[in-house]
Amino acid sequence: IIRILLFQFEEVRIPAPWGHISGRWYGNRTERPILAIHGWLDNLGTFDRLIPLLPDYIGVLCIDLPGHGRSSNLPAGVQYSVGDYVYIIPRVMREYGWKKVSLLGHSLGGVLSFIYASMAPHTVDMVICLDILVPLRVNIDYLKSAVEKLLVEEDRQGDGNLGEPPSYTLDHMVKVLAKGSQYSVAPEFAHHLLHRQIVKSKQFPEKFYFGRDARVKVYNYIDVDPGLAAEMARQVGKKPFLIIKGGRSPYLSKSGHAMSILAKDNPHYAFHEVENGTHHIHLHAAEECAQHIVPFIRHHRPPALTSWSLNGREDQPSRSKDQRRFFRWSSKKRSKL
C-alpha cells in the first residue's frame, strides 16, 4: 500500500479579511484533497500520526482554525464562535475553486463538518467525524463564566504593556497539555500538538508559552437541542458518513438520535468504536482508526475519479437555482498552488 509520507507537504496560507488561515497540504496536489479540521485548542499537528497511514493518491489539506496554530487571530473585540468557524469551510472551498468538499474532523472539527454538511449537503461528498457529532450543550454558568473571562482577556490584550502569558519548560508544557486534555493526549504524543503552538519566551530563555489566542478558550457554542440535531441529520441525508468513537470518551453520548437518523436506510453510513480509546483516538490509536478510514476513503473517493479536472476545478452538471444561490462567490483571484 502506498501511503503519504509526513514530510511530503507544502505550507499554505489562505488569505482572509483578518489575516490568513495556515495549513499543510499533504500528498497529491493535482486533485481535490480531503479537508481536515482539528479540535478545540489543538492544531493541524493533531493529524500527524494518521496522515502517514492514509493512501497517497488523494491529498489531505490540514488547516489551523483562526486563533490556533499558525493562523491569524481574529480582530480585537470579536469573540470566537462555532458559527463563524463553520464559515471557514466554504472560505477554503472558494479559495481553491472546489464545488465539493470531503471533510475529516476531530472534536470541534467534527462538529463543524456535521453542521456544514447539514447546511449545504449538495456540496459535500463524504464526512468523517472523530469522536463527536453534535455540539455539547451549554448552561448559564458557562455563558456567565465565558463572558467574564473574555472581558478579562480583552483587557489584557488591549493593554499597551501586554506581557507574556505564563511560560513553562518543555517538560512542563507536556504535562500542562496532557492535564488540559484530561489526559486524552498522552505525554508521548504531546509534541505533535506543541510544535505549532509554542513560542519561546523572551523573558525566560529556557521557557516557552502557548502562542494561541487565549480568547479561544471561551468561544461561543451553538446550542443544538435534540430536535435541531435531528433535523440537521435529516438534512445531511444519505451522504457517506463515518463516525469513530473512543471507547472511553463521553463526547458522543448525546448524539444517539441524530446518529440513528444518519444511519437509517443509508448504506453509506458507518460507525466504529475503538476499544479503550480516548477523545484523541486518532493520535493514540491511529492504526485502529486507519483500519476504518482507509477503506471508507477508497470506497467513496476512489483513485479513478472523473468528477473533477486536474486543475482542481470540478466539472459538475448544472445545479438548481436554490443550490447555486448558496455560494455566489466573487471573481477574486485564488491562490496558485
Side-chain angles (χ1 to χ4, degrees):
I1 299 175
I2 301 176
R3 294 169 174 166
I4 300 173
L5 299 178
L6 195 59
F7 58 81
Q8 292 180 330
F9 67 85
E10 183 170 338
E11 298 280 357
V12 301
R13 285 166 63 101
I14 300 166
W18 61 89
H20 67 273
I21 301 164
S22 289
R24 283 184 173 180
W25 191 319
Y26 291 91
N28 188 355
R29 292 177 58 80
T30 64
E31 299 173 349
R32 176 167 58 86
I34 296 169
L35 178 60
I37 309 173
H38 63 79
W40 180 53
L41 300 184
D42 292 345
N43 55 74
L44 64 80
T46 193
F47 298 109
D48 277 2
R49 298 196 68 237
L50 182 62
I51 293 292
L53 304 177
L54 303 181
D56 79 335
Y57 69 85
I58 184 169
V60 182
L61 173 55
C62 303
I63 60 170
D64 291 330
L65 290 171
H68 296 75
R70 296 175 185 169
S71 287
S72 300
N73 298 344
L74 293 183
V78 177
Q79 185 180 16
Y80 292 88
S81 72
V82 172
D84 290 335
Y85 274 146
V86 172
Y87 175 57
I88 299 300
I89 296 173
R91 176 168 289 280
V92 173
M93 293 174 65
R94 178 179 70 174
E95 181 65 22
Y96 295 113
W98 304 338
K99 294 180 181 177
K100 290 277 189 177
V101 65
S102 304
L103 295 168
L104 165 62
H106 167 246
S107 193
L108 173 60
V111 168
L112 304 181
S113 298
F114 174 58
I115 294 175
Y116 178 79
S118 72
M119 293 168 56
H122 60 283
T123 70
V124 177
D125 58 17
M126 71 175 192
V127 181
I128 302 171
C129 283
L130 301 176
D131 203 51
I132 207 160
L133 182 70
V134 178
L136 302 179
R137 302 297 303 274
V138 298
N139 56 43
I140 190 64
D141 291 333
Y142 171 83
L143 294 174
K144 176 184 176 182
S145 174
V147 170
E148 291 175 346
K149 291 178 180 178
L150 179 63
L151 291 173
V152 169
E153 181 58 26
E154 284 190 341
D155 286 343
R156 191 187 75 86
Q157 293 188 10
D159 187 347
N161 298 316
L162 175 65
E164 289 183 354
S167 56
Y168 313 91
T169 64
L170 282 178
D171 287 342
H172 194 185
M173 291 198 92
V174 168
K175 296 177 182 178
V176 170
L177 179 62
K179 183 178 180 180
S181 71
Q182 299 180 337
Y183 298 98
S184 173
V185 179
E188 60 266 32
F189 300 132
H191 64 281
H192 293 295
L193 294 175
L194 288 177
H195 74 92
R196 289 183 73 87
Q197 65 172 319
I198 61 173
V199 179
K200 191 172 182 63
S201 172
K202 294 180 180 179
Q203 298 179 4
F204 307 99
E206 302 301 318
K207 294 185 177 182
F208 301 82
Y209 59 87
F210 289 100
R212 64 186 174 227
D213 190 343
R215 293 176 296 164
V216 301
K217 295 180 181 178
V218 288
Y219 75 99
N220 185 27
Y221 285 79
I222 289 180
D223 192 30
V224 176
D225 64 29
L228 178 56
E231 182 56 32
M232 292 167 69
R234 294 187 191 99
Q235 291 296 319
V236 173
K238 292 178 171 50
K239 293 290 179 182
F241 213 109
L242 170 63
I243 300 173
I244 302 179
K245 180 188 184 305
R248 293 192 286 124
S249 172
Y251 289 97
L252 276 165
S253 60
K254 304 296 184 181
S255 300
H257 186 42
M259 291 166 60
S260 66
I261 293 173
L262 288 174
K264 185 177 181 181
D265 300 324
N266 185 0
H268 309 301
Y269 173 86
F271 172 85
H272 301 283
E273 183 170 327
V274 175
E275 186 177 1
N276 294 320
T278 67
H279 185 48
H280 287 75
I281 44 176
H282 56 302
L283 262 180
H284 76 87
E287 294 81 5
E288 290 89 336
C289 288
Q291 290 175 6
H292 306 299
I293 293 173
V294 171
F296 184 82
I297 291 174
R298 289 189 176 278
H299 183 71
H300 298 292
R301 287 290 306 270
L305 291 175
T306 58
S307 62
W308 34 267
S309 59
L310 291 180
N311 65 4
R313 314 251 183 249
E314 298 152 294
D315 298 321
Q316 297 286 349
S318 60
R319 301 191 178 279
S320 70
K321 183 177 180 181
D322 288 342
Q323 290 177 336
R324 290 196 305 270
R325 189 183 304 129
F326 193 88
F327 296 119
R328 186 169 293 164
W329 305 121
S330 68
S331 58
K332 174 187 172 185
K333 186 177 180 180
R334 299 184 176 99
S335 292
K336 294 181 178 179
L337 301 179

